[in-house]
Amino acid sequence: MPLLISHLGTARFGILSLAWVVIGYFSLFDLGLGRTLTKLVAEKIGARRHDEIPPLVWTTVIMMAIMGLIWTVIMLVAAPWAVDSALKVPARLRPETLKAFYLLAISGPIVVSTAGLRGVLEGQQRFGLTNAVRIPMGVATFLGPLAVLPFSNSLFPIIAVLLGARIAAWLAYLALGLYSTPVLRRRFSLSRQVLGPVLRFSSWVAISNFIGPIMAYFDRFLVGAILSMTAVAYYSTPYDLISNLGVIPAAIAGVLFPAFAASFTGDSGRTNRLYRVGLKYNFLILFPVALLIVVFSHGMLKIWLGTGFAASSFRALQLLTIGRLIICMAQLPFALLQGVGRPDLPAKLSMAELPFFIALSWLAIKSYGIEGAAMAWVARAGFETAILFWMANLRVPLKRAALKKLWVTALASLTILGLLLLPMPTFVTILYVVVALAGFALLTLFYLDDVDSMKNIISSFRAATPVAGGAEQE
């Protein structure tokens, strides 16, 4: 990041950050088909109906490529307006930005259909293979632009490198899918019959996938339209930094989602226990990390990106860290609602809150700049998380004592983090953090009344899940 910013300049780096958003958003423009394919492939393998996999996979992947092509056309048409009018791109950067956006649009079919090819592997629980592709691709997303800098600081070759990495990932997923699923090599077939089950499952997931990233990233475009590309860099950098906290709840929810679905109809009590344990470990891992980031936000940014960048971004980092902690906790009730068969509830909530969030962000950015954008994001995260917990509790009610413990812990945690936003002498801040961490240690002892519960959950879930390796031999 420091090297990219120093060589590209803050305005060009702000445009690059928007390009990263667009590439990431392409992968969600699949109408929920990637997640659906994972589920249905797993079902076919579990039932040993391997002959039904080829039409399911090839039909779905082609549908996803068509969706990506539609997005490509939309972006090609909208790119001139976005560069010349919607975004405050400096005049000297407009020609290369427009060319870069045109090149970025071409990646649509590749990026969208990649989710389907990855879903084939995830349906077989071949996460080692998916990580063998995802990790290098993630590294290339950031190191690729860095490798271009000795030759050029233009956006066009940088976007070309990003596109090349995505094409390489697509080819790798295709090869691994053919390798791990021999029946795909033997037969290529399409079928209209698979469309009904696929679209029924994916429709509500698609709405969540479509609206969620808008609320996650739209404030960047508002910052660019209202303030400047430099302000986008000051805002997006701390946002990207703390977004990595989402890896933890995503991992926990990824394990618990199929367990929720498997246990709810036959043993709702087990679903309840899974949910409570997931919430415990999610919070116990995330809270101390969030506390330390809030405390050391200015120092971290100063060491990383320099004094000027830190002065402009540290308050946004503090606020966004609090918001990220809140939204990370929401991933568990979100996974629970989808797992018990109510994906419509999170989707409807997203549709209802989207216009209010956009309006709130606009007003906050106009009044308070990037700190206003962060405050609006925190407010939205708090509202959404509270409603998701309420919805989840209607489907899988927690006991009164557990529910009380949950809300007391939430309020206490937010109070501790919120007080750190107030100016304090250094020694007071140190004392405050020591007391807060000591209190957290006591809370940990209070919570971990079932130390082996997560091990038991994972072991029982693995035992109940069919292993695809033996089932897919030719």
Side-chain angles (χ1 to χ4, degrees):
M1 288 285 192
L3 290 173
L4 286 174
I5 293 172
S6 64
H7 284 79
L8 295 178
T10 52
R12 199 179 260 116
F13 178 78
I15 298 169
L16 176 60
S17 72
L18 294 183
W20 283 330
V21 171
V22 171
I23 289 178
Y25 192 60
F26 268 153
S27 64
L28 298 173
F29 198 69
D30 67 348
L31 300 184
L33 294 172
R35 188 173 180 85
T36 301
L37 192 56
T38 298
K39 174 182 180 294
L40 296 180
V41 166
E43 287 183 350
K44 302 300 183 186
I45 292 174
R48 301 186 183 279
R49 300 202 301 265
H50 301 106
D51 289 340
E52 298 178 15
I53 292 178
L56 171 65
V57 170
W58 296 125
T59 303
T60 305
V61 169
I62 289 177
M63 286 174 57
M64 296 173 75
I66 293 172
M67 296 301 172
L69 185 61
I70 293 172
W71 186 236
T72 292
V73 173
I74 292 173
M75 188 171 177
L76 288 174
V77 173
W81 168 79
V83 173
D84 295 334
S85 303
L87 301 174
K88 293 186 176 180
V89 178
R92 61 185 177 82
L93 296 180
R94 287 177 185 174
E96 69 175 89
T97 301
L98 183 59
K99 291 179 182 178
F101 275 32
Y102 282 148
L103 187 60
L104 197 62
I106 298 174
S107 66
I110 294 294
V111 175
V112 174
S113 59
T114 294
L117 296 175
R118 186 175 66 244
V120 175
L121 297 173
E122 291 179 345
Q124 303 170 68
Q125 301 180 43
R126 304 297 293 270
F127 296 108
L129 295 180
T130 60
N131 282 337
V133 180
R134 295 184 76 173
I135 292 173
M137 184 176 65
V139 171
T141 299
F142 296 94
L143 291 190
L146 200 64
V148 176
L149 293 182
F151 310 98
S152 173
N153 65 348
S154 173
L155 291 169
F156 186 82
I158 289 175
I159 300 302
V161 169
L162 295 180
L163 176 58
R166 296 288 168 163
I167 293 173
W170 187 91
L171 292 172
Y173 279 129
L174 177 62
L176 291 173
L178 294 174
Y179 161 77
S180 64
T181 317
V183 69
L184 291 178
R185 300 199 302 267
R186 294 197 300 265
R187 190 169 59 134
F188 177 89
S189 62
L190 305 177
S191 173
R192 293 182 180 179
Q193 282 69 34
V194 305
L195 296 179
V198 167
L199 294 177
R200 279 195 298 271
F201 185 87
S202 67
S203 57
W204 287 112
V205 176
I207 294 174
S208 295
N209 285 353
F210 184 76
I211 297 178
I214 293 177
M215 290 193 290
Y217 296 117
F218 192 77
D219 49 359
R220 297 192 192 192
F221 292 92
L222 288 178
V223 169
I226 297 171
L227 302 176
S228 66
M229 287 297 105
T230 299
V232 173
Y234 287 143
Y235 180 73
S236 63
T237 301
Y239 188 103
D240 291 337
L241 174 64
I242 57 93
S243 65
N244 292 300
L245 288 178
V247 171
I248 296 167
I252 295 175
V255 171
L256 293 180
F257 167 70
F260 290 152
S263 64
F264 182 67
T265 54
D267 186 3
S268 59
R270 182 170 182 265
T271 307
N272 191 297
R273 293 192 297 274
L274 293 172
Y275 181 45
R276 285 188 287 109
V277 172
L279 290 174
K280 285 182 182 181
Y281 282 88
N282 199 29
F283 172 76
L284 293 175
I285 295 171
L286 287 173
F287 178 76
V289 178
L291 177 67
L292 294 176
I293 292 176
V294 172
V295 172
F296 298 109
S297 58
H298 187 276
M300 289 168 53
L301 289 173
K302 183 178 179 180
I303 294 172
W304 186 31
L305 298 172
T307 303
F309 210 104
S312 300
S313 294
F314 87 95
R315 186 65 73 188
L317 175 58
Q318 289 179 319
L319 291 167
L320 290 171
T321 301
I322 296 173
R324 176 56 64 179
L325 174 63
I326 296 171
I327 211 69
C328 282
M329 294 304 299
Q331 289 202 33
L332 272 297
F334 183 90
L336 178 67
L337 289 168
Q338 288 195 338
V340 302
R342 294 305 305 269
D344 59 307
L345 294 178
K348 291 174 181 176
L349 174 60
S350 296
M351 288 188 290
E353 67 179 318
L354 177 60
F356 295 100
F357 172 63
I358 293 176
L360 178 62
S361 296
W362 179 276
L363 294 174
I365 294 169
K366 293 279 286 186
S367 301
Y368 302 103
I370 64 171
E371 292 179 13
M375 288 187 285
W377 198 85
V378 173
R380 192 271 302 181
F383 172 79
E384 179 179 304
T385 300
I387 298 300
L388 285 174
F389 270 101
W390 173 70
M391 290 177 171
N393 199 61
L394 292 178
R395 270 66 198 173
V396 182
L398 296 175
K399 294 180 179 179
R400 184 183 297 272
L403 196 60
K404 181 179 179 181
K405 185 188 298 184
L406 173 67
W407 288 113
V408 168
T409 302
L411 292 174
S413 302
L414 293 177
T415 301
I416 291 171
L417 295 175
L419 290 175
L420 287 170
L421 301 179
L422 301 175
M424 299 181 187
T426 303
F427 77 93
V428 175
T429 302
I430 295 174
L431 179 62
Y432 183 86
V433 172
V434 170
V435 172
L437 290 176
F440 176 79
L442 294 175
L443 181 66
T444 301
L445 295 175
F446 176 62
Y447 256 152
L448 292 183
D449 51 357
D450 49 357
V451 177
D452 295 326
S453 56
M454 184 58 83
K455 293 181 180 179
N456 293 335
I457 287 171
I458 294 175
S459 299
S460 62
F461 176 60
R462 286 176 175 171
T465 304
V467 178
E472 46 186 72
Q473 298 299 318
E474 294 186 77

